[in-house]
């Protein structure tokens, strides 16, 4: 997910769902003096700065594995109350890395949030274990990510085409680990408990999002397309057109000229 500026301008769905989930858990946004908050997979920083800052009355640390996203977030939302750091949640959590994220002798974050990030992570158990290790005893977490989605099906379709196969043959690296799982919530819930979480709520819920136009659909899909930078410049237009054509087949056309995408999210409150 390297198109930081495009993603920042075209992630209405992610902001909508983050806002809705936070509204369901208002207590998590009530920051107390000294609260430390972690945002895992902050992307370009919009949700961190716009929605999560009230949850941290002490310090908000927002991390992402993509340096371009972190650079964009620092440049756009730099503030004394928010620290943006490059960090991969699947990294080995050494004492040095833990100290880099946590100030002083803090024994962990009071709250951890993650919105639309963890479906990019194949090493689910390691990511969840690290989140557990970064939480202080009695800390709270709110995680939401895609269980299955037409976009991932589109990646699979593109990988089956001879023209695009050389650039997309590793498509499974970029597909949610739960895409083909008939019981994603049960699988995730067990994994959370295995790494030490007390799970308050774990649900796979149906969702939908309507793209108002073909252009909005194009911008949203290309902002997160992991293959775009691999495509030779002379083939990019054809690749984008083919991606959008296949995506439209997987969505419902609306009378207004837009397209509705139906998908499922895993919503977790450990």
């Amino acid at each position: 997910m390297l198109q930081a500026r495009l993603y920042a301008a075209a992630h209405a769905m992610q902001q909508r769902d983050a806002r809705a989930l936070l509204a369901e858990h208002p207590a998590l946004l009530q920051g107390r003096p000294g609260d430390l908050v972690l945002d895992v997979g902050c992307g370009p920083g919009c949700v961190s700065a716009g929605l999560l800052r009230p949850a941290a009355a002490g310090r908000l640390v927002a991390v992402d594995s993509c340096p371009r996203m972190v650079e964009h977030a620092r440049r756009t939302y730099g503030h004394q109350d928010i620290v943006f750091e490059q960090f991969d949640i699947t990294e080995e959590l050494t004492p040095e890395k833990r100290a880099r994220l946590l100030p002083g002798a803090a024994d962990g974050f009071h709250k951890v949030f993650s919105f639309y990030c963890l479906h990019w992570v194949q090493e689910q158990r390691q990511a969840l274990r690290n989140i557990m290790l970064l939480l202080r005893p009695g800390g709270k977490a709110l995680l939401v990510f895609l269980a299955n989605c037409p976009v991932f099906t589109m990646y699979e379709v593109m990988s089956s085409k001879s023209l695009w196969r050389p650039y997309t043959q590793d498509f499974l690296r970029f597909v949610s680990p739960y895409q083909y799982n008939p019981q994603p919530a049960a699988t995730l819930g067990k994994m959370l408990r295995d790494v030490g979480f007390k799970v308050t709520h774990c649900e796979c819920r149906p969702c939908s999002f309507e793209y108002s136009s073909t252009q909005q659909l194009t911008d949203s899909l290309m902002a997160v397309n992991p293959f775009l930078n691999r495509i030779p410049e002379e083939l990019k237009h054809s690749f984008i057109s083919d991606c959008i054509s296949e995506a439209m087949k997987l969505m419902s056309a609306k009378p207004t000229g837009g397209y509705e995408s139906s998908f499922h999210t895993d919503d977790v409150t450990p």
Side-chain angles (χ1 to χ4, degrees):
M1 191 164 57
L2 302 177
Q3 316 301 317
R5 290 183 181 177
L6 183 57
Y7 182 80
H11 76 313
M13 180 188 78
Q14 291 88 336
Q15 289 220 49
R16 180 203 68 176
D17 292 349
R19 197 182 308 276
L21 262 294
L22 290 169
E24 291 182 24
H25 303 277
L28 290 177
L29 278 180
Q30 295 172 5
R32 298 171 298 179
D35 273 3
L36 303 175
V37 174
L38 176 66
D39 181 17
V40 176
C42 66
C46 317
V47 170
S48 308
L51 299 180
L52 293 183
R53 188 182 294 177
R59 180 178 183 177
L60 172 59
V61 178
V63 301
D64 201 276
S65 63
C66 176
R68 294 185 189 179
M69 289 291 183
V70 174
E71 179 186 351
H72 177 91
R74 285 174 176 166
R75 185 173 59 249
T76 309
Y77 301 106
H79 189 278
Q80 62 180 3
D81 295 335
I82 306 179
V83 178
F84 292 101
E85 293 280 356
Q86 184 183 350
F87 179 73
D88 187 331
I89 195 60
T90 65
E91 293 179 30
E92 180 185 357
L93 193 60
T94 63
E96 293 76 17
K97 289 177 181 175
R98 181 183 173 86
R100 178 162 62 90
L101 297 178
L102 283 160
D107 58 356
F109 289 96
H110 294 80
K111 304 166 192 172
V112 175
F113 297 93
S114 184
F115 297 103
Y116 283 97
C117 162
L118 293 177
H119 53 262
W120 296 105
V121 177
Q122 297 303 315
E123 303 88 351
Q124 288 281 293
R125 189 175 297 273
Q126 181 63 33
L128 296 173
R129 183 181 293 113
N130 279 352
I131 290 173
M132 178 69 186
L133 292 173
L134 286 166
L135 271 173
R136 65 188 289 122
K140 305 291 185 182
L142 176 62
L143 318 173
V144 59
F145 54 97
L146 294 171
N148 55 67
C149 181
V151 174
F152 301 138
T153 304
M154 180 263 284
Y155 292 167
E156 183 176 7
V157 171
M158 295 298 285
S159 75
S160 70
K161 300 188 177 189
S162 58
L163 179 58
W164 309 124
R165 189 176 301 123
Y167 313 104
T168 60
Q169 57 187 335
D170 61 343
F171 77 95
L172 284 173
R173 286 181 53 209
F174 308 102
V175 169
S176 169
Y178 306 96
Q179 174 79 352
Y180 308 106
N181 189 323
Q183 296 183 307
T187 300
L188 177 59
K190 181 180 184 306
M191 200 181 310
L192 287 161
R193 289 185 288 270
D194 286 348
V195 302
F197 280 107
K198 178 181 178 182
V199 181
T200 303
H201 177 80
C202 182
E203 176 189 8
C204 180
R205 66 172 71 178
C207 299
S208 65
F209 183 80
E210 184 174 340
Y211 298 95
S212 61
S213 65
T214 303
Q215 188 60 54
Q216 186 190 21
L217 174 62
T218 301
D219 290 346
S220 297
L221 295 188
M222 290 306 105
V224 297
N225 192 296
F227 313 110
L228 190 59
N229 287 342
R230 302 177 179 180
I231 306 298
E233 199 62 38
E234 66 273 15
L235 294 177
K236 279 189 177 179
H237 180 75
S238 296
F239 177 75
I240 293 171
S241 295
D242 205 356
C243 282
I244 300 307
S245 176
E246 294 298 340
M248 288 175 176
K249 295 176 185 177
L250 299 165
M251 299 180 185
S252 302
K254 307 301 289 185
T256 56
Y259 292 85
E260 184 175 52
S261 173
S262 298
F263 51 96
H264 287 83
T265 59
D266 272 333
D267 303 318
V268 184
T269 313

